[in-house]
Amino acid sequence: MTLSNWLSEYTRRQLRADEAISVIQSHDRVFLAPFCNEPQTLVEELVRQKDRFEETVLYTLNIGSPCLYAEPECQSHFIIHSFLHSAKLQKAHSHNFCEYLPVNLSQIPIWLEENPVDAALIQVTPPDEHGSCHLGISVDIIHSLIKHAKVVIAQVNEMLPITNGDGTVNVCEIDYFVLSNRPMLEVQSAEGRKEEIIIGKYVAELIPNQATIQVGVGRLADRILSSLEGKNHLGIHSGSITDKVVDLIESGVVTNAYKEIDQNETICTTLTGTKRLYDFAHHNEAIQLKGVEYTHNPAVIAQISQFCSINSALEVDLLGNVNAEQVGKYPVGGVGGQMDFIIGSRLSKGGRSIIALPSTARGGTESRIKLTASSITSVKSEIDFVVTEYGIASLFGKTVKERCTELLAIVHPAFKEDLQWQLNQIVS
């Protein structure tokens, strides 16, 4: 397409935010771009126009979002379907206008193909000289979303970094553009607690030099990354990367030199951090953002030897089943990419799957290792190691009795006797 052609199309498709959102109607199904790339100007206008909506369904994956659409005054106007819950959705869930949709992240493009949405709200950079916009800090499912949404509305934001990988979209693939420059959503790194620092050191013992890792997001994940400072030539192939990954790259710990694919490149689908991370990834060829069809594909991960998946959990039972999404009746996370990466690690030569969690919850009043898990995200047969601040439980190839012994050894001392008693009641 010539410069004059795409430029005229780009100009013709520009609208004010209120005009663009006016194409959305009651009962429409609207997908918001995931994670920190959620387009806030469009979301704010959607919420501002809430009074004209009835049962408009919003699909979300929440990390870093303020979740403006989850406020009580939105209850009679929106129905939220979240693939990845956050604490900011708890009120909406309790008021019965938010539901959890458990789908592995790698499968959302397939879900979109089978369930096309009426509108997609995304965020892009201004077009370059070829008429190509960049998706910035998150590629994730956006290409599938653009392909299968009836209408695509993009917030054009000059403050988005231009990242390398698969994040380019032609002007002609987008129906409407709303020009709005504003800072990215950010997720700050929090200081680690004592037990999380200990857990990080135990996890580091399980990561060999030259391994490739996947690590989730959050305070514990950051402590684990910080504990890898003494390693050599690590690689990263992950769903998300955070500011802590920048530290590891700059210190030379992460080189990606020994990966069989994507050598010398850190692979992820989204950036979850602060401006420091976004600036670091801007025009940085060593950071490659790809769609979840690639980053979360076990067949791709299987090509990387010594692949270590490192994920967190809310609770683990004495068989090794993992609950990473539900506390009581309320979902606080989601299946996300946990099973995608765990399966990939099991297919990798020398790979291992690691679950890390503090031994207690609710201010130390409840054990996270239980007789039975209240919900199961990942199954016992796929978990190699479980780590708490009390040590490492090695599960692969162990009998049921041996698994129980391993896991009891890393229970907080205040709960070990009671948990042993519960187990004895079953086996006696």
Side-chain angles (χ1 to χ4, degrees):
M1 179 176 289
T2 65
L3 173 63
S4 60
N5 284 346
W6 75 252
L7 189 56
S8 63
E9 278 299 304
Y10 177 61
T11 303
R12 185 178 67 82
R13 299 180 190 193
Q14 290 179 21
L15 298 175
R16 299 191 311 269
D18 61 318
E19 294 173 322
I21 295 302
S22 70
V23 306
I24 298 172
Q25 305 299 320
S26 290
H27 307 288
D28 276 357
R29 301 165 67 246
V30 182
F31 208 119
L32 309 182
F35 312 126
C36 291
N37 220 17
E38 188 180 88
Q40 291 307 288
T41 295
L42 300 181
V43 169
E44 288 166 5
E45 182 60 32
L46 187 72
V47 172
R48 193 188 70 79
Q49 295 187 26
K50 66 182 182 302
D51 290 341
R52 69 179 186 83
F53 296 123
E54 180 182 344
E55 295 186 344
T56 296
V57 181
L58 306 182
Y59 293 95
T60 71
L61 289 97
N62 294 111
I63 293 180
S65 169
C67 300
L68 301 175
Y69 36 81
E71 293 301 317
E73 57 267 26
C74 296
Q75 179 174 357
S76 59
H77 308 291
F78 300 129
I79 300 171
I80 303 167
H81 286 183
S82 176
F83 294 90
L84 191 62
H85 257 50
S86 75
K88 291 181 179 177
L89 294 178
Q90 185 169 0
K91 191 178 294 183
H93 188 86
S94 64
H95 285 82
N96 297 315
F97 71 104
C98 179
E99 297 183 35
Y100 170 46
L101 211 168
V103 178
N104 289 329
L105 202 54
S106 65
Q107 299 297 300
I108 295 180
I110 296 172
W111 181 90
L112 280 166
E113 185 176 356
E114 297 176 353
N115 300 271
V117 295
D118 296 295
L121 305 186
I122 68 171
Q123 185 167 214
V124 299
T125 66
D128 62 19
E129 66 273 18
H130 305 293
S132 293
C133 301
H134 293 264
L135 297 176
I137 60 176
S138 198
V139 173
D140 50 80
I141 60 167
I142 300 298
H143 287 296
S144 295
L145 192 54
I146 290 172
K147 181 178 180 181
H148 297 296
K150 295 177 184 177
V151 176
V152 180
I153 304 171
Q155 177 180 325
V156 182
N157 190 349
E158 292 181 359
M159 299 183 76
L160 264 181
I162 295 175
T163 51
N164 287 278
D166 297 335
T168 57
V169 178
N170 192 273
V171 161
C172 291
E173 296 179 76
I174 297 170
D175 296 292
Y176 302 111
F177 297 92
V178 175
L179 277 56
S180 178
N181 300 326
R182 57 193 297 169
M184 300 292 92
L185 293 171
E186 295 187 0
V187 175
Q188 303 285 338
S189 178
E191 287 298 316
R193 296 170 179 167
K194 179 181 178 182
E195 64 268 23
E196 293 166 338
I197 295 171
I198 296 170
I199 291 168
K201 292 178 180 178
Y202 277 127
V203 171
E205 294 179 13
L206 298 172
I207 310 300
N209 291 326
Q210 302 176 16
T212 294
I213 63 171
Q214 168 265 325
V215 184
V217 297
R219 192 173 56 211
L220 177 56
D222 280 348
R223 298 293 76 73
I224 291 169
L225 289 168
S226 295
S227 296
L228 300 176
E229 282 292 349
K231 300 294 178 178
N232 296 312
H233 293 296
L234 295 183
I236 289 182
H237 180 112
S238 195
S240 176
I241 63 171
T242 65
D243 287 34
K244 290 296 180 182
V245 171
V246 178
D247 295 338
L248 294 178
I249 294 173
E250 290 183 336
S251 66
V253 172
V254 168
T255 64
N256 295 290
Y258 287 86
K259 291 160 66 177
E260 289 85 347
I261 59 174
D262 304 314
Q263 202 168 61
N264 304 316
E265 296 174 347
T266 290
I267 301 297
C268 65
T269 199
T270 190
L271 308 177
T272 306
T274 69
K275 188 175 183 295
R276 179 194 177 210
L277 172 64
Y278 305 154
D279 288 346
F280 183 81
H282 182 60
H283 285 302
N284 187 342
E285 293 185 359
I287 308 289
Q288 297 282 322
L289 274 69
K290 297 179 179 291
V292 297
E293 302 95 327
Y294 186 85
T295 58
H296 289 64
N297 187 338
V300 172
I301 297 167
Q303 299 174 56
I304 307 170
S305 60
Q306 294 193 110
F307 184 88
C308 300
S309 67
I310 309 167
N311 290 283
S312 60
L314 298 168
E315 60 184 22
V316 175
D317 69 22
L318 286 179
L319 293 178
N321 293 306
V322 176
N323 171 17
E325 57 196 303
Q326 192 101 4
V327 173
K329 296 181 179 179
Y330 179 66
V332 298
V335 292
Q338 185 172 114
M339 277 305 299
D340 296 325
F341 287 114
I342 286 175
I343 292 170
S345 70
R346 308 293 290 125
L347 296 172
S348 162
K349 182 180 179 180
R352 50 187 54 177
S353 61
I354 302 165
I355 296 295
L357 73 167
S359 66
T360 63
R362 302 182 187 278
T365 63
E366 180 180 328
S367 176
R368 288 181 181 264
I369 297 181
K370 301 179 180 293
L371 185 65
T372 56
S374 59
S375 178
I376 296 177
T377 306
S378 303
V379 295
K380 57 186 179 295
S381 58
E382 304 296 335
I383 309 303
D384 291 316
F385 300 97
V386 176
V387 180
T388 74
E389 70 271 28
Y390 290 98
I392 302 169
S394 177
L395 303 185
F396 178 67
K398 301 293 174 65
T399 66
V400 168
K401 184 177 180 180
E402 289 168 338
R403 282 169 171 263
C404 292
T405 300
E406 287 281 330
L407 285 160
L408 280 167
I410 62 169
V411 172
H412 190 286
F415 300 96
K416 188 174 296 187
E417 184 178 345
D418 181 62
L419 194 55
Q420 180 69 69
W421 180 85
Q422 293 179 51
L423 180 62
N424 291 342
Q425 296 303 110
I426 293 177
V427 298
S428 60

